Amino acid sequence: MLDFTPLEKAIFRLEEGLNRYLQDVSDLQIRDGLIQRFEFTYELSHKMLKRYLVAISPNPELYDGISFQDLIRTGNEYGLLQGEWSDWKQYREMRSRTSHTYDEDIAIAVVQGIPKFLSEAKYLQEKLKCGQNG
C-alpha cells in the first residue's frame, strides 16, 4: 500500500502558499517560498506517479530507467493525469528554471504556471488514491 500523505501535504502547502501570495503579490519572500513549494510538489508528483505505476504493473521492471516523457504518457494511458506531455514538459521546464528565480521575469513566469500545476497535482492525487482504493 502506497502512502500518499507526503503528496497530500505538499499539495496542501502549495495551495496555502499560492493563496498567501495572491493576497500580496509584491511580497518576494512569500513568492520565493511558493516557488520552493512548487519544486517539492512537482518532484513528489512524478515520483508518486512512478511508484504507483510500478506497484500496479505486472512487470515493474518496465519502469526501470523509463524516460520522463514515457512516464507521463503511461500516466495518461491510465487516466491518472489531466494534462498531456506538453503540459508536463512545461512543468518540468518551470522546475528547471527555479534555480534562476533571482531573475524577476523567470520567477514571475514560474509563479504564473503554478495554478495550472496545482490543479494537475490535485487531479493526480485523487486518481492515485481512487486507483489504490478501487
Side-chain angles (χ1 to χ4, degrees):
M1 189 85 145
L2 293 173
D3 179 10
F4 298 114
T5 307
L7 181 59
E8 290 171 9
K9 287 180 178 178
I11 290 169
F12 176 81
R13 300 291 303 265
L14 179 62
E15 187 167 31
E16 176 184 63
L18 179 60
N19 290 335
R20 290 235 3 238
Y21 172 73
L22 293 174
Q23 291 172 15
D24 180 4
V25 297
S26 68
D27 190 330
L28 301 184
Q29 187 174 12
I30 296 294
R31 183 188 70 194
D32 293 348
L34 173 61
I35 290 170
Q36 287 181 325
R37 289 178 181 195
F38 160 72
E39 292 172 337
F40 186 70
T41 307
Y42 167 80
E43 297 294 336
L44 268 175
S45 293
H46 69 81
K47 286 178 182 173
M48 290 305 298
L49 172 62
K50 183 175 181 179
R51 286 182 194 149
Y52 178 83
L53 292 172
V54 166
I56 65 167
S57 176
N59 189 2
E61 298 79 31
L62 288 173
Y63 297 100
D64 292 344
I66 189 172
S67 73
F68 185 73
Q69 187 172 2
D70 287 339
L71 176 68
I72 298 305
R73 287 193 174 134
T74 304
N76 271 320
E77 288 170 13
Y78 280 94
L80 300 171
L81 304 173
Q82 257 181 332
E84 300 294 324
W85 162 240
S86 59
D87 297 307
W88 279 87
K89 185 177 177 190
Q90 177 188 358
Y91 307 142
R92 187 177 206 184
E93 289 168 1
M94 286 167 52
R95 171 59 184 98
S96 71
R97 298 175 84 193
T98 58
S99 61
H100 304 287
T101 55
Y102 55 83
D103 180 312
E104 187 73 11
D105 292 337
I106 291 175
I108 290 170
V110 169
V111 167
Q112 287 174 340
I114 288 176
K116 183 177 175 186
F117 171 76
L118 180 59
S119 174
E120 180 72 58
K122 287 179 170 182
Y123 184 89
L124 172 63
Q125 173 198 358
E126 190 58 37
K127 291 296 180 180
L128 293 178
K129 285 177 71 175
C130 287
Q132 186 160 292
N133 298 329

